[in-house]
Amino acid sequence: VTARTRDLANQLAAGHSNTFDTALAVEEYVRSTITYNENIAPPPDNQDVVDYVLFESQEGYCEYYASAMAVLLRAEGIPSRVVGGYFPAPYDPSEGGHLYREKNAHLWVEVFFPNYGWIPFEPTANRKQLDYGDLGAPAQEPALPTPAPTPPPVAAPLGRPGC
């Protein structure tokens, strides 16, 4: 990892008090800095690929986005991994199902959070960002007074049979 990549990771993490916010900041930076392009020349020989894509070419496809995000997070000591798979294919009526092709292959990043496990992030700009729901603090409901206990019902005396 180059010194300027480490410096960038430090700048992106600055001001964030937790791993999730740092991961979101890095994801947003990578998405907004690298232009999606599948037809790029390979990086020059003997140059770090992540350094090249972040500071010089600033273009690439999912492998470049995912590698850049994972390296930036790792430079901050945040456990991350690049994961490969496929993004959903549209329904193909002629095949009677979803037909996955090479063009559906994709890489993304997962970040490890203790007590939660590996959480996915989508750094590639031409893919939809993942929705984590409402990340704000839960609304505080006003405390209601504790109701007074209800006395138990008084049991009717049992009569004698035949009375």
Side-chain angles (χ1 to χ4, degrees):
V1 178
T2 65
R4 66 182 178 173
T5 299
R6 281 190 182 95
D7 290 343
L8 175 60
N10 190 264
Q11 291 169 20
L12 294 172
H16 298 290
S17 62
N18 62 67
T19 301
F20 189 78
D21 289 344
T22 300
L24 286 177
V26 170
E27 176 189 56
E28 182 55 38
Y29 179 84
V30 169
R31 289 178 68 88
S32 65
T33 301
I34 301 170
T35 301
Y36 189 84
N37 184 355
E38 293 179 2
N39 301 310
I40 59 170
D45 289 338
N46 300 320
Q47 183 165 2
D48 180 78
V49 174
V50 170
D51 181 272
Y52 177 73
V53 75
L54 286 172
F55 300 104
E56 295 179 33
S57 73
Q58 296 188 323
E59 63 180 356
Y61 40 92
C62 62
E63 285 92 343
Y64 290 89
Y65 285 90
S67 297
M69 182 173 177
V71 167
L72 288 167
L73 291 171
R74 289 177 181 177
E76 286 297 304
I78 298 172
S80 59
R81 63 187 181 187
V82 175
V83 181
Y86 294 88
F87 61 84
Y91 181 78
D92 186 337
S94 66
E95 294 294 329
H98 300 272
L99 184 61
Y100 288 86
R101 302 183 188 278
E102 183 180 0
K103 68 181 179 179
N104 297 101
H106 186 56
L107 294 181
W108 61 93
V109 173
E110 290 182 346
V111 178
F112 185 76
F113 295 90
N115 301 320
Y116 294 96
W118 292 98
I119 305 296
F121 287 80
E122 180 52 78
T124 305
N126 77 329
R127 306 279 355 135
K128 184 179 175 188
Q129 271 186 293
L130 301 177
D131 182 8
Y132 301 101
D134 182 9
L135 299 176
Q140 294 293 327
E141 293 185 23
L144 299 175
T146 303
T150 306
V154 178
L158 293 176
R160 286 188 273 179
C163 292

